[in-house]
Amino acid sequence: MERKEFIKSLTIALLTPTLFLAACSDDKKKGDQNSNVNSQTFTCPMHPQVVQDKMGTCPVCGMDLVPFEKNSADAALHLDESQRALANVTTMAVGLNGFNTYKQLNGRLVVNPDKTEYISSRVAGRLDRLYVRQTGEKISKGQPLYQIYSEQLASLQQEYLLALTQAAQFPGDKTFSQILKSSRQKLSLYGQSEGQIKALQNSKKTNPNITYMAPQNGTVAELSVTEGQYVAEGSPIMRLEGYQSLWVEADIYPSELGSIKEGQQVKVVIPGWEDQPQLVTIKFMNPALQADGQLIQLRGAMPNPNNQWQPGLQANVFVPTQSKGDVLNLPVDAVIRSGKGAHVWIEKEQGKFEPQIVKTGMESFDTVEIKEGLKAGDQVVVTGAYLLYSEYILKKGKDPMASSKKCKTTIK
């Protein structure tokens, strides 16, 4: 019995130090963990990769290290009055307002087909002379274009001279008068001008070499023949384009058709002539989608005084759009955008700023619509938002989008 009591006492005596040391070790580990959680880290403002657990200088550039709150669970930034003034941070209470803006479309200037004239041969024959030999040449109405040798036209001239003689011999005969009128009309239909018919009447001599004149002013855009070539009746000779009026074309997506309609006025600005905006009325909207781009084309005519613009120039087309009702809107600089979305900074309390994810809508040059994420009365940072964004990343080492609240409030 005494032997058993002795062994029991000895065992307790041997195990007691071991248990005490294990307990001390656990307490030390817990203390070390708490110390790591609450320890302050420091980093270099110019070299964020430098992180230390004590104050000092950057080994790269020698700058003083600043506190680094990477382990902080607080999602807000705190600024005192001096820091706020130095960063030029100002806020405004967001509210509901009407929103008018322009939707910008990429457009282009093209030739107006209404001002295009296709010149074709009125008779079969040989082109003895071309008075126009190159494209891009400007043509005036009545200017000679080409001279053609045509036996067919010479026969019509002889027929007219014969009818003219018969009508002169029998002035009261209606039949000869009708024949004269018919032969004169044939010459006119084959492209002979009143002056050329009158010259034929005075000279009483046929001339198979006939010169054709330009029917309008324009620029030679295409030349389809060469000098000495034989052409058939109706063969294309050249194409004249008038640039005193141009078409403005732009492409829109089918989903945008609700905001644009025929008869609506749009503003057209040509790069380089921003001081001369033009108001253009939409005259046509293609009812079919373009097969290559799934886009719908709209078109309007624009005057081109003194031909100062050329077809092929790019144009910015601004279509006025208006919100259906009052919406929340902010200055464009208040919204920070990144590949992950957009967010703003809200002042929750005096000097306490938190990031808030938002969803944007319509946008103009200086204002953006906020569709989700805010409510009327929120104090939103409108200047200094980018500085807050940089300060947050520098101090906390993470993206504000990761800790900000997702959009839950929908603005109607």
Side-chain angles (χ1 to χ4, degrees):
M1 186 65 181
E2 292 179 358
R3 181 180 177 82
K4 290 183 180 181
E5 291 293 335
F6 175 76
I7 293 174
K8 183 177 179 180
S9 300
L10 181 62
T11 301
I12 293 174
L14 292 173
L15 289 178
T16 299
T18 304
L19 294 175
F20 177 76
L21 291 175
C24 291
S25 177
D26 290 342
D27 291 341
K28 184 178 181 181
K29 287 182 181 179
K30 291 180 182 179
D32 292 341
Q33 290 176 356
N34 293 334
S35 176
N36 290 335
V37 171
N38 298 325
S39 63
Q40 176 69 63
T41 54
F42 301 87
T43 186
C44 174
M46 297 299 294
H47 301 90
Q49 70 272 20
V50 176
V51 179
Q52 297 182 7
D53 57 357
K54 60 181 179 179
M55 275 293 293
T57 58
C58 175
V60 180
C61 63
M63 290 184 63
D64 291 337
L65 301 182
V66 297
F68 184 53
E69 303 174 3
K70 183 175 181 180
N71 297 322
S72 175
D74 188 4
L77 279 178
H78 300 270
L79 301 180
D80 57 30
E81 289 299 326
S82 61
Q83 291 173 324
R84 181 171 184 161
L86 186 62
N88 191 28
V89 174
T90 60
T91 63
M92 64 172 287
V94 65
L96 293 170
N97 298 288
F99 191 88
N100 298 322
T101 185
Y102 286 93
K103 182 189 297 293
Q104 181 175 342
L105 306 177
N106 293 324
R108 56 205 164 271
L109 301 184
V110 298
V111 176
N112 188 344
D114 295 337
K115 305 299 180 181
T116 301
E117 183 75 19
Y118 293 88
I119 309 297
S120 58
S121 177
R122 296 292 187 90
V123 294
R126 184 185 67 244
L127 291 174
D128 280 345
R129 186 172 182 183
L130 277 175
Y131 295 98
V132 179
R133 295 176 177 270
Q134 60 186 358
T135 58
E137 189 173 340
K138 292 184 178 181
I139 301 298
S140 301
K141 184 178 182 179
Q143 178 180 335
L145 294 180
Y146 64 94
Q147 184 184 88
I148 190 169
Y149 173 83
S150 174
E151 295 182 356
Q152 179 186 5
L153 201 52
S155 299
L156 292 176
Q157 290 176 354
Q158 184 63 45
E159 179 183 328
Y160 174 72
L161 291 177
L162 180 59
L164 192 64
T165 302
Q166 291 174 340
Q169 292 177 354
F170 304 95
D173 194 311
K174 293 183 178 180
T175 301
F176 290 115
S177 178
Q178 186 65 33
I179 292 175
L180 177 61
K181 183 179 179 180
S182 177
S183 61
R184 184 184 181 91
Q185 186 176 10
K186 284 183 181 180
L187 290 175
S188 180
L189 291 175
Y190 276 92
Q192 296 297 281
S193 64
E194 291 296 325
Q196 290 173 322
I197 295 175
K198 188 174 182 180
L200 174 63
Q201 181 179 343
N202 294 334
S203 65
K204 301 293 190 299
K205 293 181 180 180
T206 63
N207 183 6
N209 295 305
I210 306 301
T211 301
Y212 283 88
M213 311 297 178
Q216 68 170 36
N217 298 333
T219 301
V220 179
E222 182 180 354
L223 194 61
S224 306
V225 294
T226 57
E227 195 170 273
Q229 178 180 338
Y230 281 85
V231 294
E233 183 178 343
S235 297
I237 303 294
M238 64 183 68
R239 186 178 82 246
L240 299 181
E241 294 178 347
Y243 299 150
Q244 64 271 24
S245 175
L246 297 175
W247 270 358
V248 181
E249 290 185 348
D251 298 325
I252 60 172
Y253 292 101
S255 60
E256 299 174 328
L257 280 176
S259 60
I260 304 174
K261 59 184 179 181
E262 289 187 20
Q264 182 177 357
Q265 275 198 333
V266 297
K267 183 171 71 172
V268 178
V269 176
I270 311 299
W273 290 270
E274 286 80 2
D275 59 334
Q276 301 179 42
Q278 303 292 313
L279 289 179
V280 176
T281 301
I282 298 176
K283 296 292 186 181
F284 174 78
M285 298 182 67
N286 199 329
L289 291 174
Q290 298 178 18
D292 55 345
Q294 295 295 295
L295 298 171
I296 292 177
Q297 188 179 86
L298 59 86
R299 183 185 304 139
M302 184 183 76
N304 185 24
N306 302 321
N307 294 345
Q308 69 171 335
W309 298 307
Q310 295 77 39
L313 283 175
Q314 295 296 311
N316 296 321
V317 181
F318 296 93
V319 182
T321 58
Q322 184 175 7
S323 60
K324 296 181 180 179
D326 290 340
V327 297
L328 293 180
N329 56 77
L330 288 172
V332 171
D333 292 340
V335 181
I336 309 293
R337 306 171 197 265
S338 66
K340 298 179 181 179
H343 73 277
V344 299
W345 288 87
I346 301 177
E347 187 176 19
K348 293 291 187 179
E349 301 174 3
Q350 182 67 27
K352 180 181 179 182
F353 302 92
E354 293 185 2
Q356 172 63 51
I357 296 177
V358 295
K359 182 178 179 181
T360 60
M362 297 187 301
E363 186 170 343
S364 65
F365 294 108
D366 55 359
T367 309
V368 59
E369 176 193 2
I370 304 299
K371 300 180 70 174
E372 295 181 5
L374 296 178
K375 61 181 182 297
D378 284 341
Q379 288 288 335
V380 179
V381 175
V382 292
T383 63
Y386 281 96
L387 288 176
L388 292 179
Y389 174 76
S390 302
E391 182 74 6
Y392 191 94
I393 293 179
L394 179 64
K395 283 190 173 182
K396 300 184 179 297
K398 52 188 175 182
D399 191 343
M401 297 283 287
S403 58
S404 60
K405 298 178 181 179
K406 294 187 176 181
C407 303
K408 293 183 179 180
T409 306
T410 301
I411 309 302
K412 297 182 179 180

